[in-house]
Amino acid sequence: MNKSQLFKKISLGVLAALFSASVWAHGGAKGTDTDQCKFELEPDHWIHYTAYQPVAFPAEEFCASLPREKEATILVFDYQDQKYKNDTVEFEVTKEPEGTRVFFMEGAKHKKGTVELKMPNGVPEAGKYLIHITLVPDQGERKDVHMSFKAGGGPGASKSMVILYLLIGFAGAYVFYLYNATFRREVDKIIGKKEKA
């Protein structure tokens, strides 16, 4: 196999990985789930969380890091199973480490299974925050779980977006390699020198 064929096969493998559903999946099979935007309220019972700053970043979803403070923010929670639709659930956001409350939604039953916390002014300052989700049962103990996020620091690109940009750049370079004889000769010379070294 010559270097040109090897280069083409590697490129096709990378492109296949780019368009593979498993690379871009949010989670995975039991025991391999990589979704970092989830709360486990009770063993094997989850709520998924997504944050938006729709005015400044209309097409972006966030999780553990919000780009801006004092920016309209929506926190969306989706019940992953039917269990909590009939339970009273309370939501709170606090500034840490002080524990100062910046948002509170009184306990309610959310029959749709989706809850939106609309914070028109976002969080007041840059720093660490904690989302508290509390199950308020008719009888028995309240259960409180929390997840932290940071606000401020600007719009860092997510790892998946950086990988996507790199793969798109690589694919563009490969197409240019295929259709530009001068560029292809130069690349082949470089690959040939490295193979001899």
Side-chain angles (χ1 to χ4, degrees):
M1 177 183 313
N2 68 30
K3 60 187 173 262
S4 177
Q5 289 174 326
L6 179 64
F7 184 71
K8 287 177 185 175
K9 287 189 179 195
I10 290 171
S11 300
L12 288 174
V14 169
L15 289 174
L18 172 63
F19 295 106
S20 168
S22 62
V23 169
W24 301 107
H26 222 7
K30 186 172 180 168
T32 62
D33 196 345
T34 58
D35 189 350
Q36 300 300 308
C37 299
K38 291 195 320 186
F39 290 89
E40 186 175 29
L41 293 180
E42 298 175 292
D44 296 324
H45 295 288
W46 302 84
I47 287 182
H48 185 269
Y49 153 71
T50 309
Y52 301 92
Q53 292 190 318
V55 176
F57 306 98
E60 297 285 329
E61 293 182 0
F62 303 100
C63 179
S65 183
L66 295 176
R68 293 189 184 165
E69 72 280 5
K70 297 178 185 169
E71 179 68 48
T73 301
I74 301 171
L75 308 179
V76 179
F77 300 88
D78 292 303
Y79 297 166
Q80 297 291 291
D81 56 45
Q82 303 295 316
K83 177 177 172 45
Y84 300 114
K85 290 184 179 181
N86 295 313
D87 291 348
T88 300
V89 183
E90 188 178 276
F91 294 87
E92 180 181 27
V93 179
T94 58
K95 172 75 174 81
E96 298 302 320
E98 306 87 10
T100 308
R101 178 186 283 178
V102 297
F103 182 87
F104 180 73
M105 179 184 275
E106 233 176 88
K109 294 182 181 184
H110 305 279
K111 298 287 187 181
K112 291 191 312 184
T114 298
V115 183
E116 287 187 7
L117 309 185
K118 293 182 179 179
M119 304 169 66
N121 301 315
V123 294
E125 60 186 284
K128 184 178 175 184
Y129 290 83
L130 212 54
I131 299 169
H132 303 262
I133 299 180
T134 306
L135 290 176
V136 186
D138 295 331
Q139 300 174 3
E141 268 184 56
R142 292 167 57 101
K143 292 183 182 178
D144 182 38
V145 296
H146 24 78
M147 177 179 176
S148 66
F149 69 89
K150 291 188 296 186
S158 68
K159 287 181 185 176
S160 61
M161 290 306 292
V162 170
I163 292 169
L164 179 62
Y165 296 147
L166 288 172
L167 290 174
I168 289 171
F170 182 78
Y174 180 63
V175 169
F176 190 67
Y177 170 84
L178 290 176
Y179 291 100
N180 186 301
T182 306
F183 180 69
R184 186 171 47 245
R185 276 192 301 275
E186 292 301 315
V187 170
D188 289 345
K189 280 182 196 175
I190 292 168
I191 292 172
K193 287 178 185 177
K194 288 188 177 179
E195 284 178 354
K196 291 176 184 176

